[in-house]
Amino acid sequence: MIHGTVIGLQARMSLIILPPERSGVEIECVIDTGFEGFLTLPSSVIAALGLPYLININANLANNSSVETDVYLATVVWNGVERNIAALAMGRRPLIGTALLEDYHLSIDFCEGGTVLVDEIL
Amino acid sequence: MFHPTLSSQEVARRGKELYQKSIRAKVETRENIGKIISINVETGDYEIGDDLVETSLRLRSKQTDAALWGERIGFDAVYAVGGTLLRTAQ
């Protein structure tokens, strides 16, 4: 089970990222159910963590524009298990998308300080 | 750590052109629609699968410094970040 908190109408959750040859770093992310990928990170955070560059892709944004985006390889700890996922370099706020939540249950109490829970589907 | 010698814009330009001109007709089959393709924009080599990390690392295992471009087969982008993927396949 993974816990988070609602702050200012955003469901926030900490994600542990394992940068190459360094110990884990905890990054606070916003859960974005309109994002179908795994993770976005600001370019400055990707540079600071030294994540390996993977590929370029197009991503479609909420204003229906398509942007060319650099994608990096991020190793994260998700529900106690290490996973290699694609991290899109964009924006100023780290986002967790629904690909990371696939096959999990998400519940959110949308009030200030409310509980965010990600758990296995019963 | 590896850094591509081509700019991101150049990788994207070459990748899109390569996909449209010589790869799309071969891979845009019913069973591939919605899958991910990673393309080495310098050699034209490609890998198809369900996961962007897997397809890209498969290509990178053949050539460590490969400049890669990714597409979701039959759609206009790989991921929607608040937007909507548009189906481009017939």
Side-chain angles (χ1 to χ4, degrees):
Chain A
M1 190 183 293
I2 310 166
H3 289 263
T5 309
V6 171
I7 300 168
L9 289 180
Q10 292 179 338
R12 300 194 193 179
M13 179 164 279
S14 287
L15 187 66
I16 296 169
I17 299 181
L18 303 172
E21 295 158 29
R22 280 170 53 188
S23 50
V25 177
E26 200 170 299
I27 305 272
E28 188 179 63
C29 303
V30 173
I31 296 175
D32 181 353
T33 57
F35 168 37
E36 296 169 331
F38 291 87
L39 182 67
T40 71
L41 289 173
S43 296
S44 56
V45 172
I46 286 172
L49 295 174
L51 300 185
Y53 165 77
L54 195 63
I55 190 168
N56 277 56
I57 61 161
N58 265 346
N60 186 269
L61 306 184
N63 66 359
N64 203 33
S65 65
S66 271
V67 292
E68 290 155 11
T69 307
D70 293 331
V71 181
Y72 291 78
L73 178 63
T75 304
V76 302
V77 181
W78 183 250
N79 205 25
V81 178
E82 278 187 32
R83 293 181 64 179
N84 282 330
I85 61 171
L88 279 54
M90 57 164 56
R92 290 189 297 176
R93 206 172 38 180
L95 299 176
I96 287 175
T98 53
L100 199 55
L101 298 170
E102 188 173 11
D103 294 326
Y104 283 88
H105 171 87
L106 167 68
S107 68
I108 303 170
D109 293 331
F110 264 110
C111 56
E112 192 63 25
T115 298
V116 177
L117 269 182
V118 173
D119 205 354
E120 278 158 31
I121 297 170
L122 295 176
Chain B
M1 193 179 65
F2 158 71
H3 288 282
T5 48
L6 295 175
S7 69
S8 297
Q9 291 78 13
E10 183 61 11
V11 172
R13 191 192 66 76
R14 290 194 194 187
K16 287 176 192 173
E17 189 178 293
L18 205 54
Y19 183 72
Q20 290 299 335
K21 281 190 177 169
S22 56
I23 299 174
R24 184 177 175 177
K26 280 186 275 186
V27 303
E28 211 173 84
T29 57
R30 203 174 58 179
E31 65 270 22
N32 278 342
I33 299 290
K35 287 192 176 174
I36 302 288
I37 181 168
S38 293
I39 303 164
N40 181 330
V41 304
E42 287 162 306
T43 64
D45 197 11
Y46 59 81
E47 291 279 348
I48 295 170
D50 294 320
D51 184 85
L52 184 67
V53 169
E54 279 175 28
T55 53
S56 303
L57 289 182
R58 281 212 296 271
L59 278 182
R60 224 169 258 305
S61 69
K62 299 178 200 170
Q63 185 192 333
T64 315
D65 64 349
L68 304 181
W69 171 252
E71 298 256 356
R72 187 178 292 276
I73 296 170
F75 290 86
D76 66 337
V78 174
Y79 292 122
V81 188
T84 309
L85 298 184
L86 193 70
R87 179 99 173 228
T88 54
Q90 300 302 310

